[in-house]
Amino acid sequence: MAKNNPSDGSATNASRNTLANVISCLSDYDPDALPVPDAQAIIRQFIQPINAVEKIALRSALDRVLAADIVSPINVPSHDNSAMDGYALHGNDLSKDQDVKLKVIGTAYAGRAFDGAVNSGECVRIMTGAVMPAQCDTVIPQEFVRDASDTGMTIPAGAVKTGDNRRLKGEDLKAGTPALQKGKILRPADLGLLASLGIGEVPVQRRLRVAFFSTGDELRSIGETLDEGCVYDSNRYTLHGMLTRLGCDVVDMGVIKDDPDVLEAAFRTACENADAIITSGGVSVGEADYTKQMMAQLGDVGFWKIGMRPGRPMAFGKIASNGKEAYLFGLPGNPVAVMVTFYFLARQALLHMMGASAVEAPPLLRVVSQAAIRKRPGRTEYQRGILSRNSDGIQQVRITGSQGSGVLRSMSEANCMVVLEHDRAEVKAGDLVDVILFDGLV
């Protein structure tokens, strides 16, 4: 394990970092047995955000990363207003001990204020969102009053307190205070907040451009004849889906054969046209080593055997071609291993490249395991699970059967990943385990 987790440094210092320099911050570094936290730390330190900003219309800003702080130009709300339909009145007129009769002298509507004076013993019928009359500080909901008419109503003793049901000017946001911070991934509520401030355009980080391809002579694209010993390439479709959900611009380069010249051309094209490159296949022991040779030839790349299951082999680093650079994630070839390594090693790095401020992994839930799960210490395991509730309403999880790294059906059936930490051993039925919901990842 790392004694020193590399911390984020300045962009200038980071630009001088080589992968070897970053790795030197870790004690007991072993590329043939690298714990998941160490791999995550190396990637986090080596990656730097892109620095390109564009200004776009608010309607187009969903899921984009905010490139600058947004300061509120106005107070929200802009006036004291009523939180509900009722009657605006003077708090001094209220009594805890006896009913109070007030005279109704007018009505305040949302968008059409009541401009007259409201004296003691008087009130104004008021609608939700309407500006509070200048002399009033309290609203009683219409369902709390008795004997209501166009000219008067009665407030029961102790029905409300002074100041109730009044929303104050600037209660949500005061003019000049931060509304949203740089690095925020804009969600629907954020778009509504910006609209409430009258902001129609926002500065965002440009979309991250990611090129990806699969390697292997045995792979066929959909529509091609499936020869004996060949398989259809599923990895490009899962990668396309995961990258699209993440908000990337994707460049699908297809299936690249195990040919040195073809591979080099693919890597160079990807490098010259994208910020990051993701490959699947070609990094395992025993496979044709053209891919590994090409990665090493073109840049600063490390090859790891990570203490995780599935997804042990991985390459990571940066390659260059004709003055352009791109980060490289060489993922395993098995379909489930591709998804697991993407989710737990590549995903946070890509978010960091996008300039997102919150790039921590989704939160873990602690739930009961319905059955025993085989596990040996010394590696982190990510098993596909189905989270549900038992008859008592207690959350529980069961794995989806065979956990082979080629069983993609198990990922389709699952709604969560069961995360079994590095040092954990066998799980017994009834033990607590950590799970991450797919909704937090995809």
Side-chain angles (χ1 to χ4, degrees), residues 68-99:
D69 291 346
I70 300 295
V71 175
S72 178
I74 60 173
N75 289 306
V76 181
S78 56
H79 301 84
D80 288 8
N81 67 86
S82 177
M84 57 188 62
D85 293 347
Y87 298 86
L89 52 95
H90 293 268
N92 290 338
D93 284 336
L94 296 172
S95 172
K96 295 181 180 179
D97 304 318
Q98 59 186 9
D99 296 351

PDB file of all heavy atoms in Angstrom, residues 68-99:
ATOM      1  N   ALA A  68     -16.032  28.259 -14.807  1.00  0.00           N
ATOM      2  CA  ALA A  68     -15.768  29.432 -13.963  1.00  0.00           C
ATOM      3  C   ALA A  68     -16.850  29.519 -12.896  1.00  0.00           C
ATOM      4  O   ALA A  68     -17.954  29.005 -13.073  1.00  0.00           O
ATOM      5  CB  ALA A  68     -15.748  30.711 -14.803  1.00  0.00           C
ATOM      6  N   ASP A  69     -16.509  30.168 -11.777  1.00  0.00           N
ATOM      7  CA  ASP A  69     -17.519  30.404 -10.741  1.00  0.00           C
ATOM      8  C   ASP A  69     -18.634  31.287 -11.299  1.00  0.00           C
ATOM      9  O   ASP A  69     -18.384  32.206 -12.087  1.00  0.00           O
ATOM     10  CB  ASP A  69     -16.899  31.100  -9.537  1.00  0.00           C
ATOM     11  CG  ASP A  69     -15.931  30.217  -8.773  1.00  0.00           C
ATOM     12  OD1 ASP A  69     -15.927  28.993  -9.008  1.00  0.00           O
ATOM     13  OD2 ASP A  69     -15.172  30.757  -7.940  1.00  0.00           O
ATOM     14  N   ILE A  70     -19.864  31.006 -10.893  1.00  0.00           N
ATOM     15  CA  ILE A  70     -21.005  31.846 -11.245  1.00  0.00           C
ATOM     16  C   ILE A  70     -21.418  32.626  -9.998  1.00  0.00           C
ATOM     17  O   ILE A  70     -21.739  32.035  -8.969  1.00  0.00           O
ATOM     18  CB  ILE A  70     -22.196  31.011 -11.744  1.00  0.00           C
ATOM     19  CG1 ILE A  70     -21.808  30.209 -12.992  1.00  0.00           C
ATOM     20  CG2 ILE A  70     -23.380  31.925 -12.030  1.00  0.00           C
ATOM     21  CD1 ILE A  70     -21.471  31.044 -14.201  1.00  0.00           C
ATOM     22  N   VAL A  71     -21.355  33.955 -10.097  1.00  0.00           N
ATOM     23  CA  VAL A  71     -21.748  34.829  -8.991  1.00  0.00           C
ATOM     24  C   VAL A  71     -23.141  35.369  -9.280  1.00  0.00           C
ATOM     25  O   VAL A  71     -23.430  35.817 -10.394  1.00  0.00           O
ATOM     26  CB  VAL A  71     -20.744  35.987  -8.838  1.00  0.00           C
ATOM     27  CG1 VAL A  71     -21.225  36.964  -7.773  1.00  0.00           C
ATOM     28  CG2 VAL A  71     -19.364  35.443  -8.471  1.00  0.00           C
ATOM     29  N   SER A  72     -23.997  35.316  -8.291  1.00  0.00           N
ATOM     30  CA  SER A  72     -25.377  35.754  -8.486  1.00  0.00           C
ATOM     31  C   SER A  72     -25.438  37.259  -8.741  1.00  0.00           C
ATOM     32  O   SER A  72     -24.953  38.043  -7.918  1.00  0.00           O
ATOM     33  CB  SER A  72     -26.221  35.408  -7.258  1.00  0.00           C
ATOM     34  OG  SER A  72     -27.549  35.865  -7.432  1.00  0.00           O
ATOM     35  N   PRO A  73     -26.046  37.679  -9.866  1.00  0.00           N
ATOM     36  CA  PRO A  73     -26.178  39.114 -10.134  1.00  0.00           C
ATOM     37  C   PRO A  73     -27.367  39.750  -9.433  1.00  0.00           C
ATOM     38  O   PRO A  73     -27.504  40.977  -9.417  1.00  0.00           O
ATOM     39  CB  PRO A  73     -26.367  39.148 -11.662  1.00  0.00           C
ATOM     40  CG  PRO A  73     -27.056  37.857 -11.975  1.00  0.00           C
ATOM     41  CD  PRO A  73     -26.539  36.856 -10.982  1.00  0.00           C
ATOM     42  N   ILE A  74     -28.229  38.936  -8.846  1.00  0.00           N
ATOM     43  CA  ILE A  74     -29.448  39.444  -8.221  1.00  0.00           C
ATOM     44  C   ILE A  74     -29.696  38.715  -6.907  1.00  0.00           C
ATOM     45  O   ILE A  74     -29.076  37.693  -6.607  1.00  0.00           O
ATOM     46  CB  ILE A  74     -30.685  39.265  -9.133  1.00  0.00           C
ATOM     47  CG1 ILE A  74     -30.892  37.768  -9.440  1.00  0.00           C
ATOM     48  CG2 ILE A  74     -30.535  40.076 -10.429  1.00  0.00           C
ATOM     49  CD1 ILE A  74     -32.179  37.464 -10.186  1.00  0.00           C
ATOM     50  N   ASN A  75     -30.632  39.262  -6.120  1.00  0.00           N
ATOM     51  CA  ASN A  75     -31.135  38.561  -4.953  1.00  0.00           C
ATOM     52  C   ASN A  75     -32.201  37.566  -5.388  1.00  0.00           C
ATOM     53  O   ASN A  75     -33.045  37.865  -6.247  1.00  0.00           O
ATOM     54  CB  ASN A  75     -31.759  39.535  -3.953  1.00  0.00           C
ATOM     55  CG  ASN A  75     -30.728  40.395  -3.263  1.00  0.00           C
ATOM     56  OD1 ASN A  75     -29.778  39.886  -2.678  1.00  0.00           O
ATOM     57  ND2 ASN A  75     -30.898  41.706  -3.325  1.00  0.00           N
ATOM     58  N   VAL A  76     -32.178  36.385  -4.808  1.00  0.00           N
ATOM     59  CA  VAL A  76     -33.211  35.385  -5.067  1.00  0.00           C
ATOM     60  C   VAL A  76     -33.766  34.912  -3.732  1.00  0.00           C
ATOM     61  O   VAL A  76     -33.021  34.342  -2.934  1.00  0.00           O
ATOM     62  CB  VAL A  76     -32.638  34.184  -5.847  1.00  0.00           C
ATOM     63  CG1 VAL A  76     -33.747  33.156  -6.133  1.00  0.00           C
ATOM     64  CG2 VAL A  76     -31.991  34.629  -7.145  1.00  0.00           C
ATOM     65  N   PRO A  77     -35.058  35.146  -3.467  1.00  0.00           N
ATOM     66  CA  PRO A  77     -35.964  35.947  -4.293  1.00  0.00           C
ATOM     67  C   PRO A  77     -35.606  37.429  -4.249  1.00  0.00           C
ATOM     68  O   PRO A  77     -34.885  37.882  -3.369  1.00  0.00           O
ATOM     69  CB  PRO A  77     -37.332  35.677  -3.669  1.00  0.00           C
ATOM     70  CG  PRO A  77     -37.038  35.324  -2.247  1.00  0.00           C
ATOM     71  CD  PRO A  77     -35.717  34.628  -2.250  1.00  0.00           C
ATOM     72  N   SER A  78     -36.162  38.166  -5.213  1.00  0.00           N
ATOM     73  CA  SER A  78     -35.819  39.589  -5.325  1.00  0.00           C
ATOM     74  C   SER A  78     -36.591  40.453  -4.336  1.00  0.00           C
ATOM     75  O   SER A  78     -36.225  41.608  -4.119  1.00  0.00           O
ATOM     76  CB  SER A  78     -36.080  40.079  -6.758  1.00  0.00           C
ATOM     77  OG  SER A  78     -37.430  39.831  -7.137  1.00  0.00           O
ATOM     78  N   HIS A  79     -37.661  39.922  -3.740  1.00  0.00           N
ATOM     79  CA  HIS A  79     -38.448  40.642  -2.728  1.00  0.00           C
ATOM     80  C   HIS A  79     -38.889  39.656  -1.657  1.00  0.00           C
ATOM     81  O   HIS A  79     -38.947  38.454  -1.903  1.00  0.00           O
ATOM     82  CB  HIS A  79     -39.718  41.277  -3.349  1.00  0.00           C
ATOM     83  CG  HIS A  79     -39.451  42.248  -4.446  1.00  0.00           C
ATOM     84  ND1 HIS A  79     -39.259  41.865  -5.750  1.00  0.00           N
ATOM     85  CD2 HIS A  79     -39.332  43.602  -4.419  1.00  0.00           C
ATOM     86  CE1 HIS A  79     -39.045  42.925  -6.495  1.00  0.00           C
ATOM     87  NE2 HIS A  79     -39.081  43.987  -5.724  1.00  0.00           N
ATOM     88  N   ASP A  80     -39.209  40.171  -0.480  1.00  0.00           N
ATOM     89  CA  ASP A  80     -39.929  39.346   0.484  1.00  0.00           C
ATOM     90  C   ASP A  80     -41.229  38.905  -0.179  1.00  0.00           C
ATOM     91  O   ASP A  80     -41.916  39.718  -0.812  1.00  0.00           O
ATOM     92  CB  ASP A  80     -40.267  40.137   1.750  1.00  0.00           C
ATOM     93  CG  ASP A  80     -39.046  40.419   2.604  1.00  0.00           C
ATOM     94  OD1 ASP A  80     -37.926  40.133   2.158  1.00  0.00           O
ATOM     95  OD2 ASP A  80     -39.225  40.954   3.712  1.00  0.00           O
ATOM     96  N   ASN A  81     -41.566  37.613  -0.064  1.00  0.00           N
ATOM     97  CA  ASN A  81     -42.795  37.145  -0.705  1.00  0.00           C
ATOM     98  C   ASN A  81     -43.437  36.050   0.124  1.00  0.00           C
ATOM     99  O   ASN A  81     -42.834  35.516   1.064  1.00  0.00           O
ATOM    100  CB  ASN A  81     -42.527  36.680  -2.139  1.00  0.00           C
ATOM    101  CG  ASN A  81     -41.664  35.436  -2.185  1.00  0.00           C
ATOM    102  OD1 ASN A  81     -42.165  34.317  -2.101  1.00  0.00           O
ATOM    103  ND2 ASN A  81     -40.343  35.605  -2.300  1.00  0.00           N
ATOM    104  N   SER A  82     -44.654  35.712  -0.254  1.00  0.00           N
ATOM    105  CA  SER A  82     -45.422  34.732   0.500  1.00  0.00           C
ATOM    106  C   SER A  82     -45.074  33.314   0.065  1.00  0.00           C
ATOM    107  O   SER A  82     -44.954  33.020  -1.116  1.00  0.00           O
ATOM    108  CB  SER A  82     -46.918  34.962   0.295  1.00  0.00           C
ATOM    109  OG  SER A  82     -47.656  33.960   0.971  1.00  0.00           O
ATOM    110  N   ALA A  83     -44.938  32.436   1.061  1.00  0.00           N
ATOM    111  CA  ALA A  83     -44.624  31.038   0.785  1.00  0.00           C
ATOM    112  C   ALA A  83     -45.871  30.226   0.468  1.00  0.00           C
ATOM    113  O   ALA A  83     -45.751  29.061   0.073  1.00  0.00           O
ATOM    114  CB  ALA A  83     -43.904  30.421   1.983  1.00  0.00           C
ATOM    115  N   MET A  84     -47.054  30.807   0.613  1.00  0.00           N
ATOM    116  CA  MET A  84     -48.287  30.065   0.339  1.00  0.00           C
ATOM    117  C   MET A  84     -49.462  31.015   0.178  1.00  0.00           C
ATOM    118  O   MET A  84     -49.362  32.226   0.430  1.00  0.00           O
ATOM    119  CB  MET A  84     -48.571  29.069   1.455  1.00  0.00           C
ATOM    120  CG  MET A  84     -48.671  29.669   2.838  1.00  0.00           C
ATOM    121  SD  MET A  84     -48.764  28.369   4.084  1.00  0.00           S
ATOM    122  CE  MET A  84     -47.189  27.548   3.830  1.00  0.00           C
ATOM    123  N   ASP A  85     -50.586  30.463  -0.260  1.00  0.00           N
ATOM    124  CA  ASP A  85     -51.825  31.240  -0.340  1.00  0.00           C
ATOM    125  C   ASP A  85     -52.356  31.473   1.075  1.00  0.00           C
ATOM    126  O   ASP A  85     -52.395  30.550   1.886  1.00  0.00           O
ATOM    127  CB  ASP A  85     -52.885  30.489  -1.150  1.00  0.00           C
ATOM    128  CG  ASP A  85     -52.518  30.356  -2.618  1.00  0.00           C
ATOM    129  OD1 ASP A  85     -51.587  31.051  -3.058  1.00  0.00           O
ATOM    130  OD2 ASP A  85     -53.161  29.550  -3.312  1.00  0.00           O
ATOM    131  N   GLY A  86     -52.741  32.722   1.345  1.00  0.00           N
ATOM    132  CA  GLY A  86     -53.265  33.026   2.674  1.00  0.00           C
ATOM    133  C   GLY A  86     -53.520  34.512   2.846  1.00  0.00           C
ATOM    134  O   GLY A  86     -54.009  35.175   1.916  1.00  0.00           O
ATOM    135  N   TYR A  87     -53.145  35.023   4.024  1.00  0.00           N
ATOM    136  CA  TYR A  87     -53.373  36.435   4.348  1.00  0.00           C
ATOM    137  C   TYR A  87     -52.099  37.012   4.948  1.00  0.00           C
ATOM    138  O   TYR A  87     -51.515  36.452   5.875  1.00  0.00           O
ATOM    139  CB  TYR A  87     -54.533  36.588   5.330  1.00  0.00           C
ATOM    140  CG  TYR A  87     -55.851  36.104   4.784  1.00  0.00           C
ATOM    141  CD1 TYR A  87     -56.205  34.756   4.885  1.00  0.00           C
ATOM    142  CD2 TYR A  87     -56.729  36.980   4.157  1.00  0.00           C
ATOM    143  CE1 TYR A  87     -57.396  34.291   4.370  1.00  0.00           C
ATOM    144  CE2 TYR A  87     -57.940  36.526   3.639  1.00  0.00           C
ATOM    145  CZ  TYR A  87     -58.257  35.182   3.747  1.00  0.00           C
ATOM    146  OH  TYR A  87     -59.462  34.738   3.221  1.00  0.00           O
ATOM    147  N   ALA A  88     -51.657  38.167   4.396  1.00  0.00           N
ATOM    148  CA  ALA A  88     -50.488  38.872   4.925  1.00  0.00           C
ATOM    149  C   ALA A  88     -50.950  39.845   6.000  1.00  0.00           C
ATOM    150  O   ALA A  88     -51.948  40.568   5.817  1.00  0.00           O
ATOM    151  CB  ALA A  88     -49.771  39.610   3.801  1.00  0.00           C
ATOM    152  N   LEU A  89     -50.192  39.923   7.115  1.00  0.00           N
ATOM    153  CA  LEU A  89     -50.662  40.722   8.242  1.00  0.00           C
ATOM    154  C   LEU A  89     -49.490  41.200   9.093  1.00  0.00           C
ATOM    155  O   LEU A  89     -48.337  40.836   8.860  1.00  0.00           O
ATOM    156  CB  LEU A  89     -51.631  39.876   9.085  1.00  0.00           C
ATOM    157  CG  LEU A  89     -51.127  38.490   9.517  1.00  0.00           C
ATOM    158  CD1 LEU A  89     -50.524  38.528  10.905  1.00  0.00           C
ATOM    159  CD2 LEU A  89     -52.249  37.464   9.445  1.00  0.00           C
ATOM    160  N   HIS A  90     -49.791  41.985  10.095  1.00  0.00           N
ATOM    161  CA  HIS A  90     -48.814  42.426  11.091  1.00  0.00           C
ATOM    162  C   HIS A  90     -48.692  41.363  12.173  1.00  0.00           C
ATOM    163  O   HIS A  90     -49.690  40.970  12.784  1.00  0.00           O
ATOM    164  CB  HIS A  90     -49.272  43.733  11.759  1.00  0.00           C
ATOM    165  CG  HIS A  90     -49.297  44.909  10.836  1.00  0.00           C
ATOM    166  ND1 HIS A  90     -48.231  45.752  10.677  1.00  0.00           N
ATOM    167  CD2 HIS A  90     -50.277  45.379  10.014  1.00  0.00           C
ATOM    168  CE1 HIS A  90     -48.548  46.696   9.820  1.00  0.00           C
ATOM    169  NE2 HIS A  90     -49.782  46.491   9.393  1.00  0.00           N
ATOM    170  N   GLY A  91     -47.462  40.922  12.455  1.00  0.00           N
ATOM    171  CA  GLY A  91     -47.275  39.952  13.518  1.00  0.00           C
ATOM    172  C   GLY A  91     -47.734  40.465  14.868  1.00  0.00           C
ATOM    173  O   GLY A  91     -48.156  39.681  15.732  1.00  0.00           O
ATOM    174  N   ASN A  92     -47.672  41.756  15.081  1.00  0.00           N
ATOM    175  CA  ASN A  92     -48.093  42.343  16.364  1.00  0.00           C
ATOM    176  C   ASN A  92     -49.585  42.169  16.632  1.00  0.00           C
ATOM    177  O   ASN A  92     -50.030  42.299  17.774  1.00  0.00           O
ATOM    178  CB  ASN A  92     -47.747  43.834  16.404  1.00  0.00           C
ATOM    179  CG  ASN A  92     -46.255  44.062  16.501  1.00  0.00           C
ATOM    180  OD1 ASN A  92     -45.517  43.181  16.943  1.00  0.00           O
ATOM    181  ND2 ASN A  92     -45.798  45.241  16.087  1.00  0.00           N
ATOM    182  N   ASP A  93     -50.358  41.879  15.565  1.00  0.00           N
ATOM    183  CA  ASP A  93     -51.796  41.702  15.748  1.00  0.00           C
ATOM    184  C   ASP A  93     -52.153  40.311  16.268  1.00  0.00           C
ATOM    185  O   ASP A  93     -53.290  40.070  16.679  1.00  0.00           O
ATOM    186  CB  ASP A  93     -52.536  41.936  14.425  1.00  0.00           C
ATOM    187  CG  ASP A  93     -52.641  43.413  14.068  1.00  0.00           C
ATOM    188  OD1 ASP A  93     -52.574  44.244  14.988  1.00  0.00           O
ATOM    189  OD2 ASP A  93     -52.780  43.722  12.864  1.00  0.00           O
ATOM    190  N   LEU A  94     -51.185  39.387  16.228  1.00  0.00           N
ATOM    191  CA  LEU A  94     -51.478  38.013  16.641  1.00  0.00           C
ATOM    192  C   LEU A  94     -51.581  37.899  18.156  1.00  0.00           C
ATOM    193  O   LEU A  94     -50.957  38.654  18.896  1.00  0.00           O
ATOM    194  CB  LEU A  94     -50.377  37.068  16.132  1.00  0.00           C
ATOM    195  CG  LEU A  94     -50.236  36.949  14.608  1.00  0.00           C
ATOM    196  CD1 LEU A  94     -48.982  36.150  14.266  1.00  0.00           C
ATOM    197  CD2 LEU A  94     -51.480  36.275  14.007  1.00  0.00           C
ATOM    198  N   SER A  95     -52.342  36.886  18.598  1.00  0.00           N
ATOM    199  CA  SER A  95     -52.492  36.634  20.029  1.00  0.00           C
ATOM    200  C   SER A  95     -52.415  35.138  20.287  1.00  0.00           C
ATOM    201  O   SER A  95     -52.958  34.337  19.523  1.00  0.00           O
ATOM    202  CB  SER A  95     -53.836  37.169  20.524  1.00  0.00           C
ATOM    203  OG  SER A  95     -54.056  36.776  21.861  1.00  0.00           O
ATOM    204  N   LYS A  96     -51.707  34.774  21.371  1.00  0.00           N
ATOM    205  CA  LYS A  96     -51.656  33.369  21.771  1.00  0.00           C
ATOM    206  C   LYS A  96     -52.893  32.952  22.556  1.00  0.00           C
ATOM    207  O   LYS A  96     -53.181  31.773  22.685  1.00  0.00           O
ATOM    208  CB  LYS A  96     -50.425  33.117  22.643  1.00  0.00           C
ATOM    209  CG  LYS A  96     -49.099  33.310  21.933  1.00  0.00           C
ATOM    210  CD  LYS A  96     -47.943  33.013  22.891  1.00  0.00           C
ATOM    211  CE  LYS A  96     -46.601  33.187  22.212  1.00  0.00           C
ATOM    212  NZ  LYS A  96     -45.470  32.924  23.160  1.00  0.00           N
ATOM    213  N   ASP A  97     -53.604  33.937  23.095  1.00  0.00           N
ATOM    214  CA  ASP A  97     -54.662  33.643  24.063  1.00  0.00           C
ATOM    215  C   ASP A  97     -56.071  33.788  23.517  1.00  0.00           C
ATOM    216  O   ASP A  97     -57.009  33.220  24.083  1.00  0.00           O
ATOM    217  CB  ASP A  97     -54.517  34.563  25.277  1.00  0.00           C
ATOM    218  CG  ASP A  97     -53.132  34.456  25.911  1.00  0.00           C
ATOM    219  OD1 ASP A  97     -52.638  33.311  26.023  1.00  0.00           O
ATOM    220  OD2 ASP A  97     -52.555  35.502  26.249  1.00  0.00           O
ATOM    221  N   GLN A  98     -56.237  34.552  22.445  1.00  0.00           N
ATOM    222  CA  GLN A  98     -57.597  34.777  21.954  1.00  0.00           C
ATOM    223  C   GLN A  98     -57.620  34.911  20.437  1.00  0.00           C
ATOM    224  O   GLN A  98     -56.611  35.222  19.817  1.00  0.00           O
ATOM    225  CB  GLN A  98     -58.205  36.034  22.582  1.00  0.00           C
ATOM    226  CG  GLN A  98     -57.422  37.297  22.307  1.00  0.00           C
ATOM    227  CD  GLN A  98     -57.979  38.490  23.073  1.00  0.00           C
ATOM    228  OE1 GLN A  98     -58.839  38.352  23.936  1.00  0.00           O
ATOM    229  NE2 GLN A  98     -57.498  39.684  22.739  1.00  0.00           N
ATOM    230  N   ASP A  99     -58.807  34.650  19.876  1.00  0.00           N
ATOM    231  CA  ASP A  99     -58.977  34.812  18.438  1.00  0.00           C
ATOM    232  C   ASP A  99     -58.823  36.274  18.055  1.00  0.00           C
ATOM    233  O   ASP A  99     -59.099  37.181  18.868  1.00  0.00           O
ATOM    234  CB  ASP A  99     -60.353  34.310  17.998  1.00  0.00           C
ATOM    235  CG  ASP A  99     -60.536  32.810  18.227  1.00  0.00           C
ATOM    236  OD1 ASP A  99     -59.523  32.146  18.569  1.00  0.00           O
ATOM    237  OD2 ASP A  99     -61.659  32.321  18.056  1.00  0.00           O
TER     238      ASP A  99
END
